[in-house]
Amino acid sequence: MELGRKWVQIVIAFLTNGYWGFPFTRTIYQGPLKVVCSPGLNCYSCPASTTYCPIGALQQLMLTMRFNLENAQYFLGWYVVGCIGVVGSFLGRMVCGWACPFGFFQEMLYKIPSRKFGVPRILRFLKYAILAFMVVLLPLFVVNEFGMGSPWFCKFLCPAGTLEAGIPLPIMQPGLRSTIGILFYNKLVILIAFIGWSVMASRPFCRVACPLGAFYALFSRVKLVKLELDLQKCTQCKACHHVCPMGVKFNESPDDAECISCMACMNQACKFDAISLSVGGIPLRAGDIRKPAVSKEV
């Protein structure tokens, strides 16, 4: 199952970053697929990106809202909220574990041999503050004289944007190098810090600072596809604690908002089939997924 998840991550990363003409055009893709909302964090300005980032689009909605209302433009573009809302209600943070290119990037970094550390759980609340302030409130209320806000998260923090667009675009377009200043170097430091942290700890950006993960986490109790715990089969052995990349203690909190449904606890740890994948309330037993069906003759 883990190998299958890796292949899904690779395929989705290539599908959402499938424009390989950029070395020749030296610009970003602007074709018809650019109206498609990527399920994971994937920078709109990445030269290879064929989709747009839901967090970038959500900020764009917020920062233009006051301007649009003041100019009697009431078509506010709630399409992006609907897209990620539908995805969240079906999958929740399963998107983080299976369909986010930056999450996959962190997983690959964590495989680099080094001393490993945990991430204090108290830090998980920071991403909700980032979602509330940098994605919604600041773009909406801190505006210029024209009533337009700024994309605070993309502009000041997002390491995925720095990696996917901030670094390659000045290489491709030398004219942009003159615009590089303190803001770029500040974001470069943030990217380097998260890269180093990802080598030593599992998915730190996902756990601490990702506003998209925070949004999907809001659906942890109502999503249709989720992992379930059978308390009658659970022996409280705590084996699930040691394999979770998000630090979830599944036997203690099966509806934990940090769970990305990677199924490591189900397939690599639990020996008693106490954890199962549930789709719309219908459980699929762990044993049914791990073991091929055996036909029986009557």
Side-chain angles (χ1 to χ4, degrees):
M1 180 61 72
E2 181 61 16
L3 180 61
R5 186 175 74 92
K6 285 290 182 286
W7 275 110
V8 171
Q9 289 175 300
I10 292 170
V11 169
I12 292 179
F14 275 97
L15 287 176
T16 54
N17 296 280
Y19 177 63
W20 295 103
F22 69 86
F24 308 99
T25 63
R26 294 184 175 274
T27 185
I28 65 175
Y29 172 75
Q30 294 289 350
L33 291 177
K34 209 68 171 186
V35 300
V36 177
C37 180
S38 170
L41 198 69
N42 196 59
C43 185
Y44 177 96
S45 297
C46 172
S49 176
T50 54
T51 58
Y52 67 81
C53 176
I55 289 298
L58 184 57
Q59 286 173 103
Q60 192 68 27
L61 170 64
M62 294 296 110
L63 67 88
T64 59
M65 184 175 293
R66 291 181 64 174
F67 176 85
N68 290 338
L69 291 177
E70 290 172 0
N71 289 276
Q73 298 178 13
Y74 302 114
F75 299 98
L76 300 179
W78 291 102
Y79 164 72
V80 61
V81 179
C83 283
I84 58 178
V86 169
V87 172
S89 63
F90 273 84
L91 302 174
R93 293 203 72 181
M94 189 175 192
V95 173
C96 306
W98 292 75
C100 181
F102 199 67
F104 179 55
F105 176 65
Q106 292 173 83
E107 287 185 4
M108 294 299 99
L109 290 173
Y110 189 63
K111 292 183 178 296
I112 297 174
S114 72
R115 186 177 178 184
K116 305 300 182 183
F117 299 89
V119 176
R121 279 185 63 82
I122 189 66
L123 295 180
R124 72 189 187 277
F125 295 109
L126 180 59
K127 61 181 174 288
Y128 297 100
I130 291 173
L131 173 64
F133 288 97
M134 299 190 78
V135 177
V136 178
L137 296 179
L138 290 176
L140 182 60
F141 292 108
V142 181
V143 299
N144 59 23
E145 63 271 22
F146 303 107
M148 298 285 287
S150 296
W152 285 71
F153 175 72
C154 292
K155 186 175 181 179
F156 296 104
L157 178 58
C158 184
T162 306
L163 177 67
E164 297 177 9
I167 294 175
L169 283 179
I171 296 174
M172 292 168 47
Q173 302 179 16
L176 293 176
R177 296 173 191 173
S178 61
T179 64
I180 292 177
I182 187 64
L183 186 61
F184 172 81
Y185 292 113
N186 177 67
K187 288 190 65 179
L188 186 61
V189 169
I190 292 173
L191 171 62
I192 293 172
F194 272 112
I195 287 176
W197 197 1
S198 297
V199 174
M200 297 182 291
S202 176
R203 283 178 167 256
F205 179 75
C206 302
R207 297 163 74 171
V208 171
C210 182
L212 185 58
F215 181 88
Y216 286 142
L218 300 177
F219 298 88
S220 61
R221 294 183 179 274
V222 298
K223 60 186 178 181
L224 290 180
V225 181
K226 62 194 301 185
L227 293 178
E228 303 272 7
L229 178 68
D230 188 333
L231 291 174
Q232 294 182 336
K233 291 186 176 181
C234 180
T235 63
Q236 302 297 325
C237 67
K238 301 182 180 180
C240 54
H241 296 194
H242 307 298
V243 298
C244 181
M246 299 294 287
V248 173
K249 298 178 179 179
F250 191 79
N251 66 309
E252 298 175 7
S253 54
D255 287 321
D256 198 308
E258 296 298 288
C259 178
I260 59 174
S261 300
C262 65
M263 304 186 198
C265 56
M266 184 178 79
N267 293 299
Q268 300 175 26
C270 186
K271 306 300 182 184
F272 305 97
D273 286 349
I275 303 173
S276 61
L277 181 67
S278 171
V279 180
I282 302 174
L284 304 174
R285 286 296 161 197
D288 295 338
I289 295 178
R290 285 200 300 261
K291 304 169 186 175
V294 178
S295 60
K296 294 183 179 180
E297 295 183 2
V298 179

